[in-house]
Amino acid sequence: MCRCLFILLLFCLSFIPLSSIAEEEILKIGKVEFEGNETFSDDILRSFARLQRGTQFDEFSVKAGKSRIENFYKSQGFLDVALKWERRLEGNEVNNIVHIQEGERAVIDTVIFNGNTFFSDEKLLSLSPIKAGGFLIQTEIFTTKYSILKVYSRKGYIRTQVVSDTLQERKNHYILTFDIVEGSRVYIGAISITGTRKVRKKIIEREIKVKPGSPCNPERVNESQIGIYSTGLFESVKYDIIEPVDGDTADIIFYVKERPSKTITFSTGYVYSDKNPNRLSLKTTWRHNNLWGNAQKIGMSPRYETNFSGYRKGRIELAYEEPYFLGTTFKGGLNLFIQREKRDGEGVDVIGSNVNVGKYWSRYAQGVLRYQYEDVITRDNDTTERWVSSVSLSFSYDRKNDIFYPSKGVVFLATHQYAGGMLGGDVDYHKILIEHILYGKVFPGVIATRVKAGCIWNDRNMPFQDKFAIGGMGSVRGFDEESIGPVVNGRKNANLMIVINCEFRLPVFERFDLVYFFDTGGLWKDFQSVSITENTGTSGGVGIGYRSPIGPIKLDYAHRLNGPSGGNFYFAIGYMF
């Protein structure tokens, strides 16, 4: 009988909506409000509380949030801060009211350095954001200790120790002391390199910024590591500073792992247009990055484009680079190229070469001086030939944090090209091109923006392919290639250009990303013809990409926001910028 009643009870309980009971029992975090905070805003304090409204309430998260707020206040000099946490239950939400008594903020009356003989008090104080009469802020104390250690290590004092302490002089007024144990000065002993196979050691030695017998400066050793890696010959570069227990010398060992010296890459792009012929582009690059073991580079790059209907363009380029031109820190290069283009019965052949000399002025910046000579042959009803002799000066600054998937940083490019005049040839012009790119993290993705602008002036007999053209992949997506701008001699090429692109790159699932983008740009004959309503194009779109080892593989759709209705699909490898 009891067994039957028990089974009947279980049967009845099975019809009770357990999920609704569970929902009633789960408490959610409601509002988080603050009272009494005069120095810091509610938003700043909420960022330390880390209590998100609508998430499940639990005691541990509340206690952890309270502890973080208290620690933050104390790190900013409010040593007597007091927090009272009040909770109010409304439905299944727990509203949190935090009552704060900030108290008086601690002040530093005096800063004292003890034990320093190599650097004066004035020098050390100049490294610190702390000043007498300022507040007792822990982050500034940490920054000061780090700056002291850094300046000592630059002089070879890599064993220096710094300890800070505070002494209360009177209520909320303190004396701040930094006790310094300088230690003995350390000099560099032997420098060795391990892991080389095909790369000659002299290539690595040229990038090493320290020498045996010089003070051991870890910063310079780190710069050497960066220099070795920047040659592009190594997958990894590491180092150890081996310091003996006794003595004043330290040996340095660089560990390198070489990359394959020969590489071949392939890239492709495909545009599906709703109104005009589709477009396909193919490019292959072969490179040898360590010719004869001396880091010289040689490469060949053929490319081909077609729209399957009257347009074809092919180009092949041979390049050679000497990393230490005439034994200096400048790099030199020689390029040869042949290009053939056919469009609507008109053909253009270009044969040319250029030589260049460049130098990295810092870890991120380089300048390049280039001289180029081209023979341009145009075949239409008549055949015309023009020789173009030009010189260009370029500056680039590249501080993005990743080659394929940048999430922060900046890129700046500027080039001025001058053709003709005293250089000879059949063509004259001045041409400036500037490009500025910014990357920034915006939770939960990355915003990337680019502004590209160019100007041509004092031009005479200039080939159309050297002028600016916009529209399509690489500029304003959604529009067909070179379809924006005024018609000049049957083509939409002109002297004044600006393009603005903005992308929001959002990771959604494992290796897949969503990209929302906005493009706009304009092309005009000159400054007098500039108009925001004429010869401009604007588009917006969305794409999906897969994060592959060779860069993102993307499928985008861009919709035109002005001009003809509709849009285009794009398939490509790599971000546009």
Side-chain angles (χ1 to χ4, degrees):
M1 182 66 177
C2 292
R3 180 181 297 179
C4 291
L5 289 173
F6 180 72
I7 293 173
L8 180 63
L9 179 61
L10 289 178
F11 179 75
C12 294
L13 288 174
S14 65
F15 288 95
I16 297 177
L18 296 177
S19 59
S20 62
I21 294 176
E23 288 178 3
E24 291 176 2
E25 292 177 350
I26 295 176
L27 296 178
K28 307 281 186 172
I29 294 175
K31 298 177 183 179
V32 181
E33 299 177 338
F34 300 90
E35 295 181 359
N37 51 311
E38 298 178 356
T39 308
F40 305 109
S41 67
D42 289 4
D43 289 338
I44 291 176
L45 298 181
R46 285 194 190 99
S47 69
F48 285 98
R50 300 179 193 172
L51 299 175
Q52 187 174 354
R53 187 170 187 176
T55 58
Q56 186 173 345
F57 177 87
D58 66 270
E59 290 289 345
F60 177 79
S61 297
V62 172
K63 289 180 180 179
K66 180 180 179 182
S67 177
R68 284 190 293 267
I69 294 173
E70 285 181 343
N71 291 336
F72 170 67
Y73 262 100
K74 289 179 179 179
S75 71
Q76 299 301 306
F78 293 94
L79 305 183
D80 300 324
V81 65
L83 270 66
K84 181 182 177 182
W85 206 285
E86 181 185 351
R87 303 171 194 171
R88 297 175 184 173
L89 185 62
E90 293 185 10
N92 69 333
E93 280 194 341
V94 179
N95 295 326
N96 300 268
I97 298 91
V98 185
H99 303 275
I100 301 174
Q101 292 182 354
E102 293 182 340
E104 190 176 349
R105 201 170 189 178
V107 176
I108 298 173
D109 288 337
T110 310
V111 182
I112 298 175
F113 298 96
N114 298 319
N116 52 305
T117 58
F118 192 87
F119 292 106
S120 66
D121 291 0
E122 290 76 13
K123 172 64 177 177
L124 298 180
L125 191 59
S126 69
L127 304 173
S128 173
I130 300 172
K131 305 298 178 187
F135 297 119
L136 182 63
I137 300 175
Q138 293 298 324
T139 52
E140 293 185 353
I141 296 174
F142 175 82
T143 300
T144 302
K145 291 167 65 175
Y146 176 79
S147 299
I148 293 172
L149 291 171
K150 188 175 182 179
V151 75
Y152 267 99
S153 67
R154 287 174 178 170
K155 298 299 182 180
Y157 290 91
I158 62 175
R159 299 167 177 164
T160 298
Q161 298 178 4
V162 181
V163 177
S164 62
D165 196 10
T166 54
L167 176 65
Q168 187 170 3
E169 193 174 28
R170 62 183 189 276
K171 183 174 176 57
N172 291 315
H173 287 261
Y174 292 83
I175 298 173
L176 176 61
T177 62
F178 292 95
D179 295 315
I180 301 170
V181 179
E182 292 181 335
S184 59
R185 200 173 192 181
V186 178
Y187 296 86
I188 294 175
I191 301 175
S192 58
I193 303 163
T194 64
T196 55
R197 298 177 61 192
K198 296 181 179 180
V199 179
R200 298 186 182 183
K201 289 190 175 181
K202 70 176 184 179
I203 301 300
I204 301 174
E205 291 168 352
R206 283 173 171 172
E207 301 296 335
I208 297 176
K209 310 294 193 243
V210 293
K211 296 180 180 180
S214 62
C216 183
N217 181 352
E219 269 191 24
R220 298 289 285 172
V221 179
N222 190 59
E223 289 174 9
S224 304
Q225 179 193 30
I226 294 169
I228 296 170
Y229 187 79
S230 67
T231 62
L233 301 175
F234 304 98
E235 288 184 5
S236 66
V237 180
K238 301 177 182 179
Y239 67 86
D240 279 335
I241 299 177
I242 301 175
E243 183 186 350
V245 177
D246 298 320
D248 59 353
T249 61
D251 296 335
I252 299 175
I253 303 177
F254 288 96
Y255 305 92
V256 299
K257 182 180 179 182
E258 295 184 6
R259 294 181 187 271
S261 57
K262 300 174 185 177
T263 61
I264 184 167
T265 60
F266 175 79
S267 62
T268 183
Y270 186 81
V271 181
Y272 175 79
S273 175
D274 60 343
K275 296 186 179 299
N276 292 291
N278 302 335
R279 196 180 187 100
L280 173 70
S281 63
L282 302 169
K283 181 181 178 182
T284 301
T285 302
W286 174 87
R287 286 175 65 89
H288 193 309
N289 295 313
N290 188 27
L291 200 61
W292 304 305
N294 289 324
Q296 288 101 338
K297 297 176 176 63
I298 189 169
M300 180 176 65
S301 178
R303 66 180 70 176
Y304 179 75
E305 294 180 18
T306 181
N307 68 351
F308 308 101
S309 178
Y311 171 77
R312 297 189 303 274
K313 180 179 179 181
R315 181 183 176 97
I316 187 168
E317 196 168 329
L318 299 174
Y320 171 80
E321 182 180 314
E322 170 60 56
Y324 304 100
F325 183 63
L326 299 178
T328 67
T329 57
F330 288 83
K331 64 178 182 179
L334 171 65
N335 297 278
L336 306 173
F337 55 90
I338 300 174
Q339 178 175 303
R340 171 163 287 188
E341 179 179 348
K342 187 175 182 181
R343 182 186 317 206
D344 300 328
E346 181 186 49
V348 179
D349 295 340
V350 181
I351 301 174
S353 64
N354 63 64
V355 292
N356 59 79
V357 178
K359 180 178 174 61
Y360 276 94
W361 301 106
S362 71
R363 178 181 174 183
Y364 309 104
Q366 70 166 324
V368 177
L369 179 66
R370 176 180 287 108
Y371 173 76
Q372 182 164 290
Y373 201 69
E374 299 172 279
D375 179 20
V376 182
I377 302 172
T378 304
R379 294 182 176 89
D380 196 353
N381 296 328
D382 299 320
T383 299
T384 59
E385 184 176 11
R386 284 170 286 187
W387 293 92
V388 183
S389 176
S390 67
V391 63
S392 63
L393 181 63
S394 302
F395 172 80
S396 64
Y397 180 85
D398 189 341
R399 202 167 182 176
K400 61 179 180 290
N401 63 341
D402 191 274
I403 297 175
F404 294 132
Y405 305 101
S407 59
K408 63 178 179 179
V410 60
V411 177
F412 178 79
L413 307 169
T415 301
H416 179 204
Q417 185 178 12
Y418 168 71
M422 61 181 180
L423 299 176
D426 304 316
V427 176
D428 300 322
Y429 63 83
H430 285 270
K431 182 178 181 180
I432 283 182
L433 183 63
I434 296 174
E435 185 172 3
H436 190 228
I437 305 172
L438 287 174
Y439 305 96
K441 291 183 178 180
V442 177
F443 182 82
V446 173
I447 285 185
T449 59
R450 179 180 74 166
V451 178
K452 189 175 183 180
C455 180
I456 298 170
W457 72 97
N458 291 344
D459 57 309
R460 178 186 66 86
N461 206 25
M462 187 176 182
F464 70 86
Q465 68 269 16
D466 289 340
K467 295 199 173 188
F468 299 118
I470 66 171
M473 186 183 297
S475 56
V476 183
R477 288 161 287 191
F479 291 81
D480 290 322
E481 299 294 318
E482 303 180 9
S483 63
I484 300 173
V487 178
V488 180
N489 297 325
R491 294 179 177 273
K492 292 190 176 182
N493 300 81
N495 290 8
L496 192 62
M497 176 270 294
I498 186 168
V499 172
I500 301 173
N501 310 101
C502 183
E503 293 189 353
F504 181 53
R505 301 166 183 172
L506 178 68
V508 289
F509 177 71
E510 292 185 351
R511 288 183 169 270
F512 289 91
D513 293 346
L514 274 178
V515 179
Y516 300 93
F517 57 85
F518 173 82
D519 300 336
T520 187
L523 184 69
W524 305 277
K525 293 181 180 179
D526 48 40
F527 284 100
Q528 286 73 29
S529 62
V530 172
S531 170
I532 61 174
T533 59
E534 296 181 1
N535 300 317
T536 60
T538 302
S539 66
V542 63
I544 186 169
Y546 174 75
R547 290 178 170 247
S548 76
I550 60 172
I553 301 174
K554 300 173 31 279
L555 177 65
D556 296 338
Y557 174 74
H559 188 81
R560 294 182 289 272
L561 300 179
N562 69 333
S565 61
N568 294 342
F569 285 94
Y570 298 88
F571 174 79
I573 298 176
Y575 288 120
M576 191 170 76
F577 58 93

